[in-house]
Amino acid sequence: MRIFHSYHNKSPWMLIIGVIVILSAIFTIMSKKDQQNLNAYTKSDKVSQEDTDEDKEDDLDIDMSVYTDNKVGFSISVPSDWNQVTKDGYPTFIHSASASSLQIQTLDYDPSINNTSEDTKV
């Protein structure tokens, strides 16, 4: 009666799968280190938390500024304390305290979009 089994007779697939899983984990961890954050996100501003009462008004008193794109012809209100930067050629508004951002991308109109369906191949 054999109590101990020899591992020499096992399929090499378990070893290969194990190596792939370990390498995937290592590459995932390493790729997270190489991500570059915008400078606005590296500030140490803290977001204050308030207790919310149900009887508070729904209106928020937020100081807003208006961003206008004269080329396309639209305007949008953005909180005044958000920093405006250009990221990838597009105007981007960043609030570092909440790690939030808003990027405005305007692209040329393509009439074929009107005929796009679930079956359309890209």
Side-chain angles (χ1 to χ4, degrees), residues 10 12 17 19 22 29 32 38 50 74 81 91 93 116-117:
K10 295 280 183 181
I17 291 172
V19 169
I22 291 170
I29 292 169
K32 297 272 186 204
L38 291 171
E50 293 182 15
F74 74 92
D81 62 338
F93 296 89
T116 303
S117 69

Side-chain angles (χ1 to χ4, degrees), residues 48 50-65 77-82:
S48 61
E50 293 182 15
D51 293 332
T52 55
D53 296 335
E54 292 187 31
D55 6 31
K56 282 189 176 179
E57 294 181 17
D58 290 336
D59 297 83
L60 298 175
D61 187 24
I62 298 174
D63 186 29
M64 303 292 277
S65 62
S77 295
V78 179
S80 297
D81 62 338
W82 288 40

Side-chain angles (χ1 to χ4, degrees), residues 21 26 29 39-40 44 51 58 69-70 73 76 83-84 87 92-94 102:
V21 168
I26 291 171
I29 292 169
N39 290 337
S44 62
D51 293 332
D58 290 336
D69 186 333
N70 293 323
I76 185 170
N83 298 321
Q84 181 178 351
K87 175 75 172 154
T92 305
F93 296 89
I94 298 172
L102 168 71

